[in-house]
Amino acid sequence: MTQADTTLNFVSGDEKAVKTVPVSGQVNRVGTGLINPNQKLKFSFNGKEMTGFAGDTLASALLANGQRLVGRSFKYHRPRGILTAGSEEPNALVELRGGAAQEPNTRATVTELFDGLEAKSQNHRGSLNFDVMAITDFASPFLTAGFYYKTFMWPKAFWEKLYEPIIRKAAGLGSLSMKEDPDSYDKGFLHCDLLVIGAGPSGLTAALAAARSGARVILADEDFLPGGRLNAEALEVGGQSGSQWAANAVAELTSMDNVRLMTRTTVYGAYDHGVYGALERRTDHLAKSEGKPRQILWRIYSKRAVLAAGSTERPIAFGNNDRPGIMLAGAVRTYVNRFGVVPGKEMAVFTNNDDGWQTALDLQNAGVDLMAVIDSRDVDAPVSLPGVRHLRGQGIVNTIGRKGVKAVETTGGVTLPVDAVAVSGGWNTNVHLT
Amino acid sequence: MIIEHPLLGPRDAAEFVYLGDASLIDRPDWQAEDAAERFYEYGYLRDNPAGEHQELWYHEQGDRSWLVVTRNTMSHEITKVELARDVAKARGRNT
């Protein structure tokens, strides 16, 4: 660490996790994960100064600073927090930068943190904490579908001039700068024998196999750190950590002339006869683009392609499951293992499959107080978690709290005080592109 | 979409301009008895097959050749690409 007032202890191996003294402001930072603790970054959220580290996303930095509430929902202005740790994020949409470069509706979970990043929350009148439009949530039983169109019918002329502008202003997300885009953009063409979409364990293995045989390979991944879930799990591959295995595979691939590794690149479409579209973000992770193209639209011609886009976790439906602090269990593991951040200090895990138990294990190793693991199945715990309550065959029926979850109620009538919940409903393979 | 040009190899569809049904090669004889009827059919009537279809593509951004492309309209699979000149000659035209 560069500053004397901050300490950060490594949580390693079998050693029982120690609750560490947090880096100033970063109350939820419990480890280093894959971030660089020697490179501290300053950023602001709604004008409030916060810090993170190189390797953080905006979402992980916000969580580290204990910022659970990050936005308001589209219609009822319900408080919203971070749900995922990837491009599937539906809630944590923020406005980045300012002036002409202002960019609305950006997912905090895929925004790479840089020094001086300015982020703002969206869709609230007044402050994020006190949104006067949140009244719509309490009036929601009256605001059914078609309410506006039935209620504001007369006088007819008022609709276009008065009613609609007001209603439109009440809903919606970010705002545009209304200024000319100061950045430049480019396009390009690439050719290869094999396009590998996704640099997780499957993608890296496929790219290595093809590259070693001499094929021209393009490996594209939307993240800035290749490795996919290898970076997010506390697992071992061939005697080394998953992230180390990924780093070694990437090192071998980058040493080969016939491989082009494209990080921060989203392959968004496959077209006839082996044509693929990809968007590479070149300067979005920098404070200034300095004349370089901000994004490049690539047209990739490939003889074959391997789709290794990973999986997306399903949430579980229950009452008020949109409160800030309620997150997908796999995303929680990402924050704990990759970013060294816990979403809360007292958590519960709600799962319907074995994978949720891995999250419970990782959380316990990170020093989080686990109030309970709620498993909707009537089965024995697949993972041994001494001292952790196992609620068999139960589910969450409701959550309590307004700007963040404070407690959950289960079908068995148990009320658990928590400040975050990890929810796992199983995984769906991504057989689509973006 | 990629068109396998008989002379130039695989080329991107963006280099080409689509003209339409390859039956446009078979211009009717204007001196025939039923010329009016046949020109009406030539000008207006087209098959619209779900499946294999022969169509004319012009390599505007390339060598400016006319091609007859056999394409499956269901799968976009291109099974055959010929120079329109060769097709016309095979059908007995001299140019």
Side-chain angles (χ1 to χ4, degrees):
Chain A
M1 297 304 303
T2 48
Q3 288 172 327
D5 63 331
T6 59
T7 61
L8 201 61
N9 294 345
F10 288 86
V11 180
S12 64
D14 307 320
E15 190 190 331
K16 175 74 184 157
V18 196
K19 281 203 177 174
T20 55
V21 181
V23 181
S24 53
Q26 297 188 33
V27 291
N28 285 334
R29 184 80 70 178
V30 294
T32 51
L34 302 177
I35 55 160
N36 179 3
N38 298 319
Q39 200 182 337
K40 199 172 180 178
L41 305 175
K42 281 187 187 145
F43 72 102
S44 73
F45 181 67
N46 285 341
K48 190 180 167 198
E49 293 291 329
M50 295 182 182
T51 60
F53 293 105
D56 262 329
T57 61
L58 177 58
S60 71
L62 285 170
L63 282 176
N65 285 276
Q67 183 73 40
R68 284 196 296 173
L69 175 63
V70 297
R72 293 276 173 171
S73 74
F74 188 85
K75 182 175 175 183
Y76 294 132
H77 295 253
R78 285 171 67 85
R80 285 287 160 85
I82 294 157
L83 178 73
T84 73
S87 55
E88 66 271 32
E89 178 63 36
N91 285 353
L93 303 176
V94 294
E95 218 164 78
L96 296 184
R97 303 172 193 256
Q102 173 178 313
E103 201 187 6
N105 306 336
T106 315
R107 290 157 297 180
T109 50
V110 293
T111 302
E112 205 172 330
L113 197 69
F114 58 83
D115 204 41
L117 173 66
E118 284 173 36
K120 288 193 288 278
S121 54
Q122 303 183 152
N123 198 30
H124 46 81
R125 199 165 301 161
S127 73
L128 174 62
N129 270 313
F130 187 78
D131 178 5
V132 293
M133 293 305 288
I135 191 78
T136 54
D137 191 17
F138 299 103
S140 66
F142 304 102
L143 302 174
T144 52
F147 165 79
Y148 304 106
Y149 304 98
K150 289 174 189 162
T151 312
F152 299 104
M153 284 176 73
W154 43 263
K156 212 176 165 188
F158 275 32
W159 175 252
E160 205 173 307
K161 292 265 156 38
L162 182 68
Y163 299 146
E164 199 194 9
I166 291 172
I167 294 166
R168 275 198 190 278
K169 228 181 156 191
L173 295 170
S175 54
L176 295 166
S177 71
M178 305 309 281
K179 289 176 189 146
E180 201 180 330
D181 191 339
D183 289 307
S184 65
Y185 299 81
D186 208 348
K187 64 179 177 186
F189 301 83
L190 293 170
H191 300 259
C192 63
D193 297 317
L194 180 74
L195 170 66
V196 182
I197 303 160
S202 327
L204 286 173
T205 314
L208 276 175
R212 283 172 186 157
S213 75
R216 286 184 306 161
V217 176
I218 292 177
L219 174 59
D221 193 280
E222 61 184 6
D223 206 334
F224 53 89
L225 182 68
R229 288 220 61 88
L230 286 169
N231 296 326
E233 303 285 357
L235 49 73
E236 283 200 345
V237 185
Q240 48 193 341
S241 71
S243 56
Q244 190 54 49
W245 186 89
N248 291 346
V250 168
E252 183 179 343
L253 286 168
T254 42
S255 73
M256 295 175 168
D257 293 336
N258 54 336
V259 177
R260 185 181 179 123
L261 177 67
M262 302 176 80
T263 54
R264 303 184 180 98
T265 303
T266 305
V267 179
Y268 60 80
Y271 304 93
D272 291 313
H273 308 150
V275 181
Y276 300 84
L279 183 71
E280 185 179 14
R281 294 170 293 277
R282 292 295 281 260
T283 66
D284 279 352
H285 61 290
L286 304 172
K288 284 202 164 63
S289 52
E290 292 181 354
K292 296 198 184 90
R294 183 181 159 216
Q295 296 173 341
I296 300 178
L297 194 63
W298 293 104
R299 191 184 279 209
I300 302 173
Y301 298 82
S302 182
K303 288 183 188 137
R304 303 299 287 267
V306 170
L307 178 63
S311 310
T312 305
E313 198 170 27
R314 293 186 294 270
I316 302 178
F318 51 87
N320 294 309
N321 70 350
D322 62 340
R323 299 215 191 283
I326 298 172
M327 297 170 65
L328 293 177
V332 169
R333 286 215 294 282
T334 305
Y335 288 115
V336 171
N337 296 321
R338 175 173 168 181
F339 300 106
V341 171
V342 290
K345 297 293 186 201
E346 293 179 329
M347 292 183 62
V349 175
F350 178 26
T351 184
N352 63 6
N353 61 86
D354 285 0
D355 191 60
W357 288 85
Q358 183 63 45
T359 303
L361 189 67
D362 287 1
L363 282 172
Q364 201 181 42
N365 285 337
V368 171
D369 279 340
L370 269 182
M371 307 309 283
V373 177
I374 305 158
D375 196 328
S376 60
R377 306 167 301 169
D378 190 14
V379 295
D380 290 335
V383 173
S384 165
L385 291 169
V388 175
R389 202 168 168 193
H390 175 194
L391 298 176
R392 273 172 89 122
Q394 293 196 30
I396 295 177
V397 281
N398 195 16
T399 69
I400 297 154
R402 178 71 195 162
K403 287 168 200 162
V405 62
K406 282 182 183 152
V408 295
E409 295 168 359
T410 72
T411 47
V414 182
T415 301
L416 302 163
V418 293
D419 54 4
V421 184
V423 180
S424 176
W427 294 79
N428 272 15
T429 313
N430 291 335
V431 290
H432 58 278
L433 287 171
T434 310
Chain B
M1 221 170 101
I2 290 171
I3 294 173
E4 190 83 24
H5 194 290
L7 304 174
L8 304 171
R11 315 294 300 189
D12 193 279
E15 295 177 9
F16 294 85
V17 175
Y18 175 75
L19 187 78
D21 198 316
S23 67
L24 288 169
I25 292 176
D26 305 314
R27 191 181 173 87
D29 180 3
W30 63 277
Q31 287 175 311
E33 284 279 310
D34 55 349
E37 175 72 14
R38 283 168 65 183
F39 264 99
Y40 158 71
E41 287 179 7
Y42 174 80
Y44 295 110
L45 300 187
R46 297 279 181 278
D47 288 337
N48 186 20
E52 231 171 51
H53 186 222
Q54 284 203 312
E55 48 205 28
L56 283 170
W57 287 79
Y58 177 49
H59 198 191
E60 192 188 36
Q61 306 290 324
D63 68 346
R64 302 204 164 188
S65 60
W66 285 92
L67 304 179
V68 174
V69 175
T70 307
R71 182 177 67 97
N72 190 313
T73 57
M74 306 279 280
S75 64
H76 281 195
E77 190 194 2
I78 292 174
T79 46
K80 203 170 172 188
V81 184
E82 305 153 277
L83 288 171
R85 188 181 59 201
D86 296 344
V87 175
K89 274 182 180 166
R91 290 181 190 174
R93 270 175 46 183
N94 53 5
T95 50

